Every structure is written in structure tokens, then in C-alpha cells.
Amino acid sequence: LIPSAGEGKRLQQLLPSASLLELEGTGHVGIDDRLDLLEILRANPSLGLGSLGDVPKPKPVPLDPVTDFVRPNAAKIEEAAKGVNRIRDATSPVFMSVDPSNPEAVMLGLSGVPDERGLNPNPKPLLFVGNHQLFGLDLGTIILEFLEDRDLLLRGLAHPIIFRNPNPNGEGEDEPNLQEPEPEPETFQESLRAAFREGLAERRSRSRRQGEGGQTGQFQTFGAVEVTGRNYYKLLDSGEAVLLYPGGVREVYHGREEANQLFWPEDTDFVRVAARFNATIIPFGAVGSAESFNFILDSDELVSLPFGLGERIANASAAVPLPAMNAAGGRAAEGEDASRFNRFTPPFALPKLTGPERAYFLFGPAYDTSAVNPKDREACAEAYNKVQRDAQENIDVLLRTREGDAYRAFGARKAYELLTNKAAPPPRIDEVTRDPK
């Protein structure tokens, strides 16, 4: 390759009317998305192309979060795993699945989860539905385990607050611009530098909007999209493996006495759409997060605080956008307080001094929706109730299983792991059974 800087100076000597602009940090790719070639032509008066000023700039085509998603490479997965591994090291998660040949039997690992990928050129979409644990600490653990164990990327449907611009001053801007406007460039070379700076700033801004870095970036790196009916439909239509928490924020910020319960809405829409694409539904249960914290004030108690504090908390929650899909934040089930169902108010809870509880997950049994008529509301409701019962049964099985786990407590678990440099053994499951009803 010709050294760019040296070659540029040589060409400038041969071409007296040429202007030289060195672009730092671009390597050998000088003209990229930081420079607008049309702007360069406009800025050079010797070219006589001032009429190009009337040419409108093409509007950038927005990326589709579903169809334009590119699976993260190994480097991105490794980087994202650093934060998740801290949770995994603290909770020593145990993953279990239901034996496909016996819905009463439980086995260690995820081999009981069906997946046609690699066997079928047009695999059925997979829909994972279960309970969301306190503060949503289970999400990264689940996604990373499926990536490592099954090479399967679960694409989550997340609350819209995750994808909102953190800065209220303007769309796509991370912070207000408090600098004085720069003077108009007087020379062609200055125009080039200004165009380069503007292009660089735009690329950085676009990168942030697309989610590189921060919590939003972690979600989007692994294909999470805002929970809307359109995104849900397109994910299943694309044959993806989808992760949905029907209880949404209601379960993430559950009350003091509401651990390990399902708070699913009355809508059966997610089953109806799944049946349209013959998706396989995988109900699952998870426990451990709620028992790792001491509640000081739960959501109900916070909004009831005196001296206007509770009212301010409630108003802040009311300003949070609601999910545009009933399966994750729609109408509350019968007997459920509708205002509580969508309240975005995290409880005031502190980690227990004894350390976090062990995390337990149970997936299955698989439910094939190919026999469900998506236009038959009664059939969809029956399927919905079956999936919900299986998810709750999985939670109950995990609660019973952990009672016999000698390494459930953080102290015993970490002592074993430090002494042996191995993961703490899982609980015995040879006598664990499910109720398949």
C-alpha cells in the first residue's frame, strides 16, 4: 500500500491547485461516512459547482431493528459477557429442562429444549415465555447460557423505556450543544475539515442511537427490540427465537409478598400470533432473585409516601411510555389493579448481607401451536392457559428443588468454588417430578 500521508504531499506538489486534508484515524479509507463528497464539491469555488447547493441531501434510510439485525460476533459476545459473568459468578445458575419424552421428568441442562436449526432449512420459530425476576437480573444470564450451550440467540422484546433517548433536549442527541457556533470556513481546506468534523460527529451520534455501549447497547447488541405487535410479528415471521415476558414490569417490580408469582395480562394475543406461524412455545420458570434482596419499601408503599413524595413518584411512573403490545403490559388480569400493572416504580430493596441466592431455571415442556387455529379465540385461550400453568408449575418445581440443594446459600456455594476451583454441584433432580396437567 502507498503511504497515504506521503503520497498526498507528493501529489500536492505535482498539482499546484490541489488542497490537502489529512484525516486522522481513517487509515487508508479516507472517504467513508464521515465525509460527504457532495459537500466537498460544493465547498470548492474553483469547480464552479455552486448550483449543486439546490440538490437535496438524501435522507438516511432507518435500519429495521428486526430484519437488519446482524448477529454479534465472538468479540462482542465476549465483551458483553463480562458484565453478565459477574452475576453468574455470584449466583452459580442451574439450568434444567423438561424431558421431551416424559413431561413429568426434569433433566439438567438445556438439551430438552427443541430447536430445528441445522436440521430444517425453514425451522419453526421459538417463543420463550416465563416469569421476569426482580429487577430483571435473569435476562442476561438466560441469553448468554443459550448462546454458549445451544448456539441459539434469543431475541428479547423489551419495554419501550429501554430504547428511549436519554436526553429530553432533542432527538438523537446525547447532550445539549453548549458550544458557540463555529465561524463559517473561509477556504476550501477549512470547508473540508468542517465537513469531516460534522461527519465524524454524525457517525458517533448515529452509533449511539444504534446502541453501541450502555444498557441500551447491551440489549440491542443481542437483537432485542421494542415490544410492539409489529416487531413481535416480524420476529416470528423471520423464524427467530423470541424471548417474551408477558408479566413485564409488573413482575420485574413486584411487591414485597409477591415473589415467584405470575402476573400475566388477560390478553391471549401472543399465543394467537404464535399459532399463525406454527411457533413452538417454551414456557419457563426462574427463581432466586427475589430472595437475594431485603425489601425496604415496595412499589405500593413508595407511591403512598406522605408529604407529596408518593405523588411525585406516581407522576414519574405515569410519564413512562406504555408497551404497545398487550402481552407485555396491556390490560391487567381480572382482579388485578390496572394502575399497578403498568406502574414503572422499582421497589427500594437492598442486597442481603448473606449474599445472593442461587439462580434456578427450568424450561419446557414445548407446546406446538401448529394445531391451534389462530382465529379460534377459545382455542387460543386454552393454549394460553396451558402455557401459563406450565410456567407456574416450573416455578413451583424449582422452589421444591432448591430446598434440597446443599449449595443454595451463597457462603457454602462460594466456599466450595474457591476451594475446588469448580462450579458448585447442582441439586439432585432424580426425584424431582412435574405435574404435567
Side-chain angles (χ1 to χ4, degrees):
L1 293 175
I2 300 175
S4 303
E7 180 65 8
K9 294 177 181 178
R10 188 184 73 86
L11 291 174
Q12 187 182 29
Q13 293 177 351
L14 296 176
L15 304 171
S17 61
S19 296
L20 176 65
L21 174 65
E22 294 186 14
L23 306 180
E24 298 179 0
T26 60
H28 293 282
V29 186
I31 303 296
D32 58 14
D33 58 357
R34 286 169 292 185
L35 275 180
D36 187 332
L37 185 57
L38 186 58
E39 288 292 338
I40 294 176
L41 297 177
R42 285 195 187 106
N44 192 339
S46 63
L47 295 179
L49 299 177
S51 59
L52 288 175
D54 299 330
V55 178
K57 289 185 179 180
K59 293 184 178 180
V61 179
L63 294 176
D64 187 296
V66 175
T67 58
D68 290 329
F69 170 72
V70 178
R71 178 176 169 136
N73 56 30
K76 285 188 175 182
I77 293 176
E78 182 180 0
E79 181 64 27
K82 293 178 181 179
V84 178
N85 283 336
R86 288 193 288 269
I87 297 178
R88 296 204 295 186
D89 291 343
T91 60
S92 305
V94 176
F95 282 85
M96 294 172 275
S97 55
V98 177
D99 188 341
S101 62
N102 181 7
E104 296 184 5
V106 174
M107 54 188 183
L108 291 172
L110 298 174
S111 59
V113 177
D115 180 23
E116 299 178 349
R117 287 158 179 76
L119 304 175
N120 187 340
N122 297 304
K124 291 182 178 180
L126 297 176
L127 175 61
F128 293 80
V129 291
N131 65 306
H132 218 345
Q133 293 199 76
L134 184 64
F135 299 127
L137 297 178
D138 50 343
L139 180 60
T141 302
I142 291 175
I143 291 177
L144 199 58
E145 186 71 18
F146 271 91
L147 269 173
E148 294 178 349
D149 188 83
R150 299 294 302 274
D151 192 30
L152 182 62
L153 177 61
L154 274 56
R155 299 193 59 183
L157 289 157
H159 193 282
I161 193 66
I162 299 297
F163 303 95
R164 289 299 184 262
N165 179 14
N167 171 41
N169 295 293
E171 179 66 29
E173 298 293 334
D174 295 309
E175 57 185 12
N177 182 10
L178 301 180
Q179 298 179 347
E180 292 293 330
E182 296 186 5
E184 290 293 326
E186 297 180 358
T187 66
F188 176 54
Q189 193 171 25
E190 290 177 356
S191 297
L192 285 178
R193 290 197 177 95
F196 175 71
R197 287 194 299 269
E198 291 172 3
L200 181 60
E202 169 58 24
R203 190 174 75 165
R204 288 172 175 168
S205 178
R206 182 170 64 254
S207 296
R208 289 191 290 264
R209 291 197 299 270
Q210 292 175 351
E212 295 179 6
Q215 185 184 40
T216 301
Q218 293 296 341
F219 280 105
Q220 292 180 313
T221 294
F222 291 98
V225 297
E226 183 174 337
V227 58
T228 67
R230 180 187 296 272
N231 284 341
Y232 176 59
Y233 184 98
K234 291 170 72 173
L235 284 170
L236 293 179
D237 188 31
S238 301
E240 298 277 11
V242 183
L243 177 60
L244 173 66
Y245 293 102
V249 70
R250 177 65 178 87
E251 291 175 357
V252 170
Y253 296 150
H254 65 70
R256 186 189 301 274
E257 305 297 332
E258 296 175 339
N260 306 313
Q261 298 180 39
L262 294 178
F263 293 95
W264 289 12
E266 64 179 12
D267 306 88
T268 63
D269 289 354
F270 80 78
V271 170
R272 183 171 56 82
V273 179
R276 178 166 183 168
F277 294 100
N278 297 325
T280 299
I281 302 178
I282 314 293
F284 68 89
V287 301
S289 181
E291 294 79 6
S292 301
F293 292 86
N294 284 318
F295 274 74
I296 309 301
L297 294 171
D298 66 13
S299 174
D300 290 335
E301 293 165 337
L302 284 169
V303 298
S304 300
L305 288 173
F307 309 115
L309 294 176
E311 183 179 358
R312 291 178 61 183
I313 294 174
N315 290 339
S317 173
V320 175
L322 297 179
M325 179 176 168
N326 287 336
R331 294 188 297 273
E334 185 177 354
E336 171 77 5
D337 182 0
S339 63
R340 177 68 181 87
F341 194 76
N342 286 312
R343 183 188 299 158
F344 203 91
T345 303
F348 178 32
L350 299 177
K352 289 185 176 179
L353 297 178
T354 53
E357 286 262 338
R358 194 170 203 174
Y360 304 84
F361 302 89
L362 176 56
F363 292 82
Y367 187 95
D368 186 1
T369 64
S370 59
V372 179
N373 182 355
K375 297 182 180 180
D376 187 338
R377 292 193 174 275
E378 290 187 3
C380 290
E382 182 180 347
Y384 178 95
N385 292 332
K386 176 66 168 67
V387 170
Q388 187 176 22
R389 287 196 303 270
D390 282 336
Q392 186 61 60
E393 172 64 13
N394 286 347
I395 295 173
D396 297 338
V397 168
L398 293 175
L399 294 176
R400 296 194 300 268
T401 302
R402 73 177 182 181
E403 292 300 324
D405 186 3
Y407 300 99
R408 172 185 172 183
F410 178 78
R413 190 168 68 246
K414 297 313 292 182
Y416 177 92
E417 294 176 349
L418 289 173
L419 289 173
T420 64
N421 199 29
K422 296 187 298 184
R428 293 186 57 182
I429 61 170
D430 50 345
E431 298 181 357
V432 176
T433 59
R434 295 181 71 262
D435 183 357
K437 294 182 180 179

